Amino acid sequence: GENVEQHPSTLSVQEGDSAVIKCTYSDSASNYFPWYKQELGKRPQLIIDIRSNVGEKKDQRIAVTLNKTAKHFSLHITETQPEDSAVYFCAALLWGYSTLTFGKGTMLLVSP
Amino acid sequence: NAGVTQTPKFRILKIGQSMTLQCAQDMNHNYMYWYRQDPGMGLKLIYYSVGAGITDKGEVPNGYNVSRSTTEDFPLRLELAAPSQTSVYFCASSQTGGTYNEQFFGPGTRLTVL
């Protein structure tokens, strides 16, 4: 099956800085890579996703990049704000399967 | 639409007790999932279903059972609760496992086994 590694486990930045979270996956047949945000005590919610036929996708202050050759993908948050503080999970979907494999999460802390 | 709903929100069980965690969705999604999230950890898949009458094991199925008699409901049964089952349980649903892959999560059930 698929295995997803996520780094770092915690990330502290100052408001206005950029934040980058990286994930690697093991199976080159994975073709869908979503990112979920989970605020404290809340449910995970999808914030951005990318498919294997695309190298980069942006949505306002967040972007995701995918390097299929190296089998890694990254979440980029620019101009961070305190409300960006949350746990972020990456995931991968192996082609032909019905379930996502999640990374262990990154706790992002944005200090004012 | 209410989306994905879960009941109860909190529950305390004694060792050896049983209970059912309820999950329902009103989005007509075929795919439904149960995850557990331990403190400071990621999401581990317990069971999933690709449609009514079809269920399959995930990464950590031991101690749990599921059924899917309708498209809307996907209850999770805990038999003989153990302290290791103390966790937050999330139910999720998605339209398909193919093109539309966003999983919509319920609010979670926080379970403590003492």
Side-chain angles (χ1 to χ4, degrees):
Chain A
E2 177 62 279
N3 183 52
V4 176
E5 300 284 339
Q6 184 171 349
H7 298 280
S9 55
T10 60
L11 179 59
S12 294
V13 300
Q14 293 290 319
E15 183 176 1
D17 288 348
S18 295
V20 181
I21 302 170
K22 298 180 179 179
C23 289
T24 60
Y25 59 99
S26 60
D27 200 317
S28 57
S30 289
N31 64 351
Y32 172 68
F33 307 93
W35 286 87
Y36 284 81
K37 176 184 180 182
Q38 185 179 28
E39 297 177 356
L40 187 63
K42 304 288 187 178
R43 72 190 80 185
Q45 290 187 297
L46 179 74
I47 55 171
I48 196 167
D49 57 11
I50 192 168
R51 301 191 185 278
S52 59
N53 59 347
V54 176
E56 182 176 1
K57 184 177 180 180
K58 295 181 72 173
D59 183 3
Q60 298 183 347
R61 294 187 297 108
I62 61 173
V64 57
T65 58
L66 172 65
N67 183 327
K68 289 192 293 183
T69 302
K71 290 188 286 187
H72 68 70
F73 57 110
S74 300
L75 178 70
H76 304 255
I77 305 174
T78 59
E79 301 174 14
T80 54
Q81 301 168 3
E83 52 264 39
D84 294 330
S85 296
V87 177
Y88 292 81
F89 293 99
C90 64
L93 177 67
L94 188 57
W95 185 85
Y97 283 72
S98 306
T99 60
L100 291 171
T101 300
F102 284 88
K104 292 187 175 181
T106 296
M107 179 176 289
L108 174 64
L109 300 173
V110 181
S111 303
Chain B
N1 285 352
V4 180
T5 58
Q6 291 183 238
T7 56
K9 292 184 178 180
F10 306 93
R11 184 73 186 267
I12 298 175
L13 282 181
K14 295 182 179 179
I15 295 172
Q17 287 185 321
S18 300
M19 76 165 293
T20 299
L21 282 66
Q22 301 293 341
C23 173
Q25 52 91 11
D26 62 359
M27 297 175 283
N28 201 33
H29 286 171
N30 287 325
Y31 289 69
M32 296 188 74
Y33 312 84
W34 273 107
Y35 295 93
R36 59 176 289 171
Q37 184 176 36
D38 298 330
M41 299 295 288
L43 297 159
K44 294 185 178 180
L45 183 66
I46 305 171
Y47 270 96
Y48 68 100
S49 168
V50 301
I54 305 169
T55 62
D56 209 345
K57 296 178 181 179
E59 182 184 358
V60 289
N62 291 344
Y64 307 93
N65 274 301
V66 293
S67 60
R68 183 96 182 271
S69 57
T70 67
T71 299
E72 294 78 21
D73 300 297
F74 190 39
L76 177 72
R77 178 80 177 164
L78 277 71
E79 304 283 1
L80 299 175
S84 60
Q85 293 178 306
T86 294
S87 191
V88 179
Y89 291 84
F90 287 101
C91 178
S93 72
S94 65
Q95 185 168 354
T96 73
T99 305
Y100 303 101
N101 290 303
E102 178 178 0
Q103 291 191 15
F104 294 84
F105 285 80
T109 294
R110 185 176 297 274
L111 175 67
T112 302
V113 182
L114 300 174

